[in-house]
Amino acid sequence: MDRRTRRIEFDGGDWWEVYQELSQGTYRAVEQVTRRMLRLDGARVDAATGALSGGIALDPERWDAEAANEVLLLGSTPRWSYGDVTREVYDTVPRRHVEDVLAYVNEVYKRQDPLAVGRSADEPQRTSSPR
């Protein structure tokens, strides 16, 4: 499968290549991580429409944005100059590189997910997209 990528170049010769389109597998992996961060007090699912509504909020005790970012970035990275694309190598990447790539994928992927723009926890959501 040929997927379009973008290479982000850094001073010093390092680079990071990311997919320009969010894959279904990465979407599901991020969704699974973020689902554990939600508090669903009083949440309801409409059997007819599959809409999730009610008391949906981020649980501050479970909040771990770094875990979701790691899953997103590792799933979106086919290659980089740091070595194998693994969690162990990810932990050695300069933080400023992580922040630059994260900003890029958040902007590009957000434009691909119309449900992510302007949605709040009080609005009905599809059960397959609890972010």
Side-chain angles (χ1 to χ4, degrees), residues 28-39:
R28 286 184 50 79
V30 171
E31 186 176 73
Q32 288 173 349
V33 168
T34 57
R35 185 178 299 130
R36 293 188 299 254
M37 299 177 203
L38 297 178
R39 183 175 51 231

Side-chain angles (χ1 to χ4, degrees), residues 27-112:
Y27 176 86
R28 286 184 50 79
V30 171
E31 186 176 73
Q32 288 173 349
V33 168
T34 57
R35 185 178 299 130
R36 293 188 299 254
M37 299 177 203
L38 297 178
R39 183 175 51 231
L40 301 176
D41 299 332
R44 297 171 305 284
V45 176
D46 183 308
T49 65
L52 179 63
S53 63
I56 305 164
L58 285 173
D59 186 335
E61 293 180 19
R62 297 182 197 163
W63 176 246
D64 186 359
E66 285 302 313
N69 291 341
E70 179 180 299
V71 169
L72 174 65
L73 291 175
L74 287 173
S76 300
T77 302
R79 288 172 287 286
W80 56 19
S81 64
Y82 314 103
D84 293 335
V85 180
T86 65
R87 282 189 169 92
E88 293 77 24
V89 174
Y90 176 83
D91 286 344
T92 69
V93 173
R95 180 66 190 167
R96 63 183 159 67
H97 295 184
V98 171
E99 290 171 354
D100 288 350
V101 175
L102 184 61
Y104 171 77
V105 297
N106 279 335
E107 179 60 30
V108 170
Y109 294 169
K110 179 176 70 176
R111 286 184 269 153
Q112 297 170 19

